[in-house]
Amino acid sequence: QVELVESGGDSVQPGGSLRLSCQASGNTNGVCMGWFRQAPGKEREGVAAIDGYDDSNYADSVKGRFTISKDTAKNVLYLQMNNLEPEDTGMYYCGADGELCFRPVVHKTTDLAYWGQGTQVTVSS
């Protein structure tokens, strides 16, 4: 069993930055982790993930602006978000699943084994 707890969401102006954190606990062997988001009225989408080779993959909409990283010793996943846009507004979720180890995050957005409760990001002037 894996528990995921997100933090770091906030309200910021366009162009601002935020860093989200996802603290994982439990047995994380065999799963990889990623970030997802869901805007009101829209389906959940994959944002960024780290695969089984420790390579990062991103949605096209966030490439060059978001950076995913992890602290393996602390079992924490981060998402540094820079140059935020109103379109980045949504609930951000941390997810963990074995398929994220070999499948791009944009192709694995449902039926994950583990989800966090989410943290809200609002980008507005």
Side-chain angles (χ1 to χ4, degrees), residues 28-34 36 49-54 70 77 95-102 112:
T28 56
N29 291 328
V31 299
C32 293
M33 295 168 60
F36 302 78
I50 298 177
D51 67 17
Y53 297 98
D54 280 342
K70 66 178 180 179
L77 186 74
D97 194 277
E99 288 195 37
L100 288 176
C101 295
F102 57 85
L112 269 71

PDB file of all heavy atoms in Angstrom, residues 28-34 36 49-54 70 77 95-102 112:
ATOM      1  N   THR A  28       6.946   1.644  -1.957  1.00  0.00           N
ATOM      2  CA  THR A  28       6.943   2.248  -3.298  1.00  0.00           C
ATOM      3  C   THR A  28       7.763   1.436  -4.293  1.00  0.00           C
ATOM      4  O   THR A  28       7.974   1.875  -5.429  1.00  0.00           O
ATOM      5  CB  THR A  28       7.456   3.689  -3.247  1.00  0.00           C
ATOM      6  OG1 THR A  28       8.761   3.687  -2.651  1.00  0.00           O
ATOM      7  CG2 THR A  28       6.527   4.576  -2.429  1.00  0.00           C
ATOM      8  N   ASN A  29       8.215   0.271  -3.899  1.00  0.00           N
ATOM      9  CA  ASN A  29       8.936  -0.588  -4.849  1.00  0.00           C
ATOM     10  C   ASN A  29       7.992  -1.022  -5.963  1.00  0.00           C
ATOM     11  O   ASN A  29       6.867  -1.433  -5.719  1.00  0.00           O
ATOM     12  CB  ASN A  29       9.495  -1.820  -4.137  1.00  0.00           C
ATOM     13  CG  ASN A  29      10.606  -1.472  -3.181  1.00  0.00           C
ATOM     14  OD1 ASN A  29      11.363  -0.530  -3.398  1.00  0.00           O
ATOM     15  ND2 ASN A  29      10.714  -2.223  -2.098  1.00  0.00           N
ATOM     16  N   GLY A  30       8.465  -0.910  -7.171  1.00  0.00           N
ATOM     17  CA  GLY A  30       7.667  -1.372  -8.294  1.00  0.00           C
ATOM     18  C   GLY A  30       6.719  -0.360  -8.874  1.00  0.00           C
ATOM     19  O   GLY A  30       5.981  -0.668  -9.822  1.00  0.00           O
ATOM     20  N   VAL A  31       6.667   0.846  -8.326  1.00  0.00           N
ATOM     21  CA  VAL A  31       5.827   1.902  -8.898  1.00  0.00           C
ATOM     22  C   VAL A  31       6.678   3.117  -9.211  1.00  0.00           C
ATOM     23  O   VAL A  31       7.724   3.332  -8.606  1.00  0.00           O
ATOM     24  CB  VAL A  31       4.666   2.308  -7.965  1.00  0.00           C
ATOM     25  CG1 VAL A  31       3.744   1.134  -7.697  1.00  0.00           C
ATOM     26  CG2 VAL A  31       5.181   2.914  -6.669  1.00  0.00           C
ATOM     27  N   CYS A  32       6.216   3.871 -10.179  1.00  0.00           N
ATOM     28  CA  CYS A  32       6.788   5.165 -10.491  1.00  0.00           C
ATOM     29  C   CYS A  32       5.717   6.228 -10.245  1.00  0.00           C
ATOM     30  O   CYS A  32       4.523   5.908 -10.166  1.00  0.00           O
ATOM     31  CB  CYS A  32       7.291   5.212 -11.928  1.00  0.00           C
ATOM     32  SG  CYS A  32       8.703   4.128 -12.232  1.00  0.00           S
ATOM     33  N   MET A  33       6.163   7.469 -10.127  1.00  0.00           N
ATOM     34  CA  MET A  33       5.242   8.520  -9.717  1.00  0.00           C
ATOM     35  C   MET A  33       5.192   9.657 -10.715  1.00  0.00           C
ATOM     36  O   MET A  33       6.152   9.905 -11.450  1.00  0.00           O
ATOM     37  CB  MET A  33       5.654   9.041  -8.341  1.00  0.00           C
ATOM     38  CG  MET A  33       5.534   8.003  -7.234  1.00  0.00           C
ATOM     39  SD  MET A  33       6.335   8.520  -5.699  1.00  0.00           S
ATOM     40  CE  MET A  33       5.422  10.006  -5.330  1.00  0.00           C
ATOM     41  N   GLY A  34       4.068  10.325 -10.719  1.00  0.00           N
ATOM     42  CA  GLY A  34       3.906  11.449 -11.628  1.00  0.00           C
ATOM     43  C   GLY A  34       2.896  12.444 -11.112  1.00  0.00           C
ATOM     44  O   GLY A  34       2.232  12.220 -10.092  1.00  0.00           O
ATOM     45  N   PHE A  36      -0.449  14.914 -12.113  1.00  0.00           N
ATOM     46  CA  PHE A  36      -1.614  15.016 -12.983  1.00  0.00           C
ATOM     47  C   PHE A  36      -2.407  16.238 -12.573  1.00  0.00           C
ATOM     48  O   PHE A  36      -2.250  16.735 -11.459  1.00  0.00           O
ATOM     49  CB  PHE A  36      -2.480  13.759 -12.852  1.00  0.00           C
ATOM     50  CG  PHE A  36      -1.736  12.489 -13.170  1.00  0.00           C
ATOM     51  CD1 PHE A  36      -0.867  11.925 -12.256  1.00  0.00           C
ATOM     52  CD2 PHE A  36      -1.896  11.872 -14.396  1.00  0.00           C
ATOM     53  CE1 PHE A  36      -0.152  10.761 -12.547  1.00  0.00           C
ATOM     54  CE2 PHE A  36      -1.199  10.712 -14.714  1.00  0.00           C
ATOM     55  CZ  PHE A  36      -0.322  10.162 -13.773  1.00  0.00           C
ATOM     56  N   ALA A  49       6.131  12.990 -15.241  1.00  0.00           N
ATOM     57  CA  ALA A  49       6.419  11.775 -14.486  1.00  0.00           C
ATOM     58  C   ALA A  49       7.889  11.414 -14.636  1.00  0.00           C
ATOM     59  O   ALA A  49       8.577  11.910 -15.542  1.00  0.00           O
ATOM     60  CB  ALA A  49       5.544  10.611 -14.952  1.00  0.00           C
ATOM     61  N   ILE A  50       8.357  10.582 -13.728  1.00  0.00           N
ATOM     62  CA  ILE A  50       9.707  10.037 -13.798  1.00  0.00           C
ATOM     63  C   ILE A  50       9.575   8.537 -13.989  1.00  0.00           C
ATOM     64  O   ILE A  50       8.925   7.862 -13.174  1.00  0.00           O
ATOM     65  CB  ILE A  50      10.507  10.358 -12.524  1.00  0.00           C
ATOM     66  CG1 ILE A  50      10.651  11.877 -12.366  1.00  0.00           C
ATOM     67  CG2 ILE A  50      11.882   9.708 -12.573  1.00  0.00           C
ATOM     68  CD1 ILE A  50      11.356  12.308 -11.090  1.00  0.00           C
ATOM     69  N   ASP A  51      10.197   8.028 -15.053  1.00  0.00           N
ATOM     70  CA  ASP A  51      10.007   6.619 -15.388  1.00  0.00           C
ATOM     71  C   ASP A  51      11.006   5.729 -14.660  1.00  0.00           C
ATOM     72  O   ASP A  51      11.773   6.187 -13.806  1.00  0.00           O
ATOM     73  CB  ASP A  51      10.055   6.409 -16.911  1.00  0.00           C
ATOM     74  CG  ASP A  51      11.428   6.683 -17.507  1.00  0.00           C
ATOM     75  OD1 ASP A  51      12.438   6.717 -16.761  1.00  0.00           O
ATOM     76  OD2 ASP A  51      11.493   6.864 -18.728  1.00  0.00           O
ATOM     77  N   GLY A  52      10.979   4.461 -15.008  1.00  0.00           N
ATOM     78  CA  GLY A  52      11.820   3.481 -14.341  1.00  0.00           C
ATOM     79  C   GLY A  52      13.311   3.642 -14.603  1.00  0.00           C
ATOM     80  O   GLY A  52      14.125   3.029 -13.910  1.00  0.00           O
ATOM     81  N   TYR A  53      13.661   4.452 -15.576  1.00  0.00           N
ATOM     82  CA  TYR A  53      15.065   4.757 -15.872  1.00  0.00           C
ATOM     83  C   TYR A  53      15.468   6.115 -15.297  1.00  0.00           C
ATOM     84  O   TYR A  53      16.543   6.631 -15.618  1.00  0.00           O
ATOM     85  CB  TYR A  53      15.303   4.748 -17.387  1.00  0.00           C
ATOM     86  CG  TYR A  53      15.046   3.396 -18.009  1.00  0.00           C
ATOM     87  CD1 TYR A  53      13.832   3.113 -18.630  1.00  0.00           C
ATOM     88  CD2 TYR A  53      16.016   2.397 -17.975  1.00  0.00           C
ATOM     89  CE1 TYR A  53      13.590   1.869 -19.200  1.00  0.00           C
ATOM     90  CE2 TYR A  53      15.776   1.150 -18.541  1.00  0.00           C
ATOM     91  CZ  TYR A  53      14.566   0.901 -19.144  1.00  0.00           C
ATOM     92  OH  TYR A  53      14.328  -0.327 -19.708  1.00  0.00           O
ATOM     93  N   ASP A  54      14.574   6.675 -14.480  1.00  0.00           N
ATOM     94  CA  ASP A  54      14.796   8.000 -13.880  1.00  0.00           C
ATOM     95  C   ASP A  54      14.828   9.106 -14.936  1.00  0.00           C
ATOM     96  O   ASP A  54      15.435  10.166 -14.715  1.00  0.00           O
ATOM     97  CB  ASP A  54      16.071   8.043 -13.038  1.00  0.00           C
ATOM     98  CG  ASP A  54      15.850   7.428 -11.658  1.00  0.00           C
ATOM     99  OD1 ASP A  54      14.684   7.292 -11.252  1.00  0.00           O
ATOM    100  OD2 ASP A  54      16.844   7.084 -11.011  1.00  0.00           O
ATOM    101  N   LYS A  70      12.788  14.321  -7.860  1.00  0.00           N
ATOM    102  CA  LYS A  70      12.462  13.516  -6.679  1.00  0.00           C
ATOM    103  C   LYS A  70      13.642  13.451  -5.738  1.00  0.00           C
ATOM    104  O   LYS A  70      14.798  13.552  -6.149  1.00  0.00           O
ATOM    105  CB  LYS A  70      12.025  12.110  -7.080  1.00  0.00           C
ATOM    106  CG  LYS A  70      13.114  11.256  -7.723  1.00  0.00           C
ATOM    107  CD  LYS A  70      12.581   9.869  -8.041  1.00  0.00           C
ATOM    108  CE  LYS A  70      13.662   9.010  -8.686  1.00  0.00           C
ATOM    109  NZ  LYS A  70      13.181   7.635  -8.985  1.00  0.00           N
ATOM    110  N   LEU A  77       8.305  13.582  -4.184  1.00  0.00           N
ATOM    111  CA  LEU A  77       8.272  13.983  -5.585  1.00  0.00           C
ATOM    112  C   LEU A  77       7.925  15.457  -5.649  1.00  0.00           C
ATOM    113  O   LEU A  77       7.038  15.914  -4.920  1.00  0.00           O
ATOM    114  CB  LEU A  77       7.221  13.170  -6.346  1.00  0.00           C
ATOM    115  CG  LEU A  77       7.139  13.366  -7.850  1.00  0.00           C
ATOM    116  CD1 LEU A  77       8.326  12.690  -8.538  1.00  0.00           C
ATOM    117  CD2 LEU A  77       5.828  12.797  -8.394  1.00  0.00           C
ATOM    118  N   GLY A  95       0.237  10.771  -8.489  1.00  0.00           N
ATOM    119  CA  GLY A  95      -0.207   9.415  -8.747  1.00  0.00           C
ATOM    120  C   GLY A  95       0.973   8.468  -8.818  1.00  0.00           C
ATOM    121  O   GLY A  95       2.091   8.874  -9.169  1.00  0.00           O
ATOM    122  N   ALA A  96       0.719   7.216  -8.487  1.00  0.00           N
ATOM    123  CA  ALA A  96       1.774   6.200  -8.544  1.00  0.00           C
ATOM    124  C   ALA A  96       1.213   4.925  -9.152  1.00  0.00           C
ATOM    125  O   ALA A  96       0.106   4.489  -8.804  1.00  0.00           O
ATOM    126  CB  ALA A  96       2.324   5.923  -7.146  1.00  0.00           C
ATOM    127  N   ASP A  97       1.969   4.355 -10.051  1.00  0.00           N
ATOM    128  CA  ASP A  97       1.548   3.122 -10.711  1.00  0.00           C
ATOM    129  C   ASP A  97       2.750   2.497 -11.400  1.00  0.00           C
ATOM    130  O   ASP A  97       3.653   3.223 -11.847  1.00  0.00           O
ATOM    131  CB  ASP A  97       0.461   3.437 -11.747  1.00  0.00           C
ATOM    132  CG  ASP A  97      -0.260   2.197 -12.231  1.00  0.00           C
ATOM    133  OD1 ASP A  97       0.268   1.534 -13.143  1.00  0.00           O
ATOM    134  OD2 ASP A  97      -1.339   1.875 -11.691  1.00  0.00           O
ATOM    135  N   GLY A  98       2.739   1.177 -11.511  1.00  0.00           N
ATOM    136  CA  GLY A  98       3.832   0.510 -12.190  1.00  0.00           C
ATOM    137  C   GLY A  98       3.934   0.888 -13.656  1.00  0.00           C
ATOM    138  O   GLY A  98       5.036   0.942 -14.212  1.00  0.00           O
ATOM    139  N   GLU A  99       2.806   1.179 -14.300  1.00  0.00           N
ATOM    140  CA  GLU A  99       2.853   1.519 -15.728  1.00  0.00           C
ATOM    141  C   GLU A  99       3.569   2.830 -15.996  1.00  0.00           C
ATOM    142  O   GLU A  99       4.073   3.053 -17.097  1.00  0.00           O
ATOM    143  CB  GLU A  99       1.433   1.559 -16.298  1.00  0.00           C
ATOM    144  CG  GLU A  99       0.809   0.185 -16.435  1.00  0.00           C
ATOM    145  CD  GLU A  99      -0.428   0.183 -17.312  1.00  0.00           C
ATOM    146  OE1 GLU A  99      -0.446   0.925 -18.319  1.00  0.00           O
ATOM    147  OE2 GLU A  99      -1.379  -0.536 -16.987  1.00  0.00           O
ATOM    148  N   LEU A 100       3.632   3.715 -15.006  1.00  0.00           N
ATOM    149  CA  LEU A 100       4.356   4.968 -15.208  1.00  0.00           C
ATOM    150  C   LEU A 100       5.856   4.733 -15.359  1.00  0.00           C
ATOM    151  O   LEU A 100       6.582   5.621 -15.782  1.00  0.00           O
ATOM    152  CB  LEU A 100       4.097   5.922 -14.049  1.00  0.00           C
ATOM    153  CG  LEU A 100       2.704   6.549 -13.983  1.00  0.00           C
ATOM    154  CD1 LEU A 100       2.566   7.396 -12.721  1.00  0.00           C
ATOM    155  CD2 LEU A 100       2.418   7.394 -15.210  1.00  0.00           C
ATOM    156  N   CYS A 101       6.303   3.537 -15.011  1.00  0.00           N
ATOM    157  CA  CYS A 101       7.729   3.236 -15.146  1.00  0.00           C
ATOM    158  C   CYS A 101       8.130   3.049 -16.610  1.00  0.00           C
ATOM    159  O   CYS A 101       9.315   3.158 -16.943  1.00  0.00           O
ATOM    160  CB  CYS A 101       8.084   1.987 -14.355  1.00  0.00           C
ATOM    161  SG  CYS A 101       7.870   2.166 -12.569  1.00  0.00           S
ATOM    162  N   PHE A 102       7.150   2.773 -17.479  1.00  0.00           N
ATOM    163  CA  PHE A 102       7.505   2.546 -18.883  1.00  0.00           C
ATOM    164  C   PHE A 102       6.545   3.208 -19.858  1.00  0.00           C
ATOM    165  O   PHE A 102       6.753   3.141 -21.078  1.00  0.00           O
ATOM    166  CB  PHE A 102       7.571   1.047 -19.182  1.00  0.00           C
ATOM    167  CG  PHE A 102       6.310   0.298 -18.878  1.00  0.00           C
ATOM    168  CD1 PHE A 102       5.275   0.221 -19.796  1.00  0.00           C
ATOM    169  CD2 PHE A 102       6.143  -0.345 -17.660  1.00  0.00           C
ATOM    170  CE1 PHE A 102       4.107  -0.474 -19.517  1.00  0.00           C
ATOM    171  CE2 PHE A 102       4.981  -1.046 -17.373  1.00  0.00           C
ATOM    172  CZ  PHE A 102       3.955  -1.107 -18.298  1.00  0.00           C
ATOM    173  N   LEU A 112      -4.876   4.477 -12.151  1.00  0.00           N
ATOM    174  CA  LEU A 112      -3.632   4.360 -11.404  1.00  0.00           C
ATOM    175  C   LEU A 112      -3.887   3.633 -10.097  1.00  0.00           C
ATOM    176  O   LEU A 112      -4.964   3.729  -9.514  1.00  0.00           O
ATOM    177  CB  LEU A 112      -3.036   5.735 -11.124  1.00  0.00           C
ATOM    178  CG  LEU A 112      -2.052   6.248 -12.191  1.00  0.00           C
ATOM    179  CD1 LEU A 112      -2.787   6.611 -13.463  1.00  0.00           C
ATOM    180  CD2 LEU A 112      -1.273   7.434 -11.645  1.00  0.00           C
TER     181      LEU A 112
END
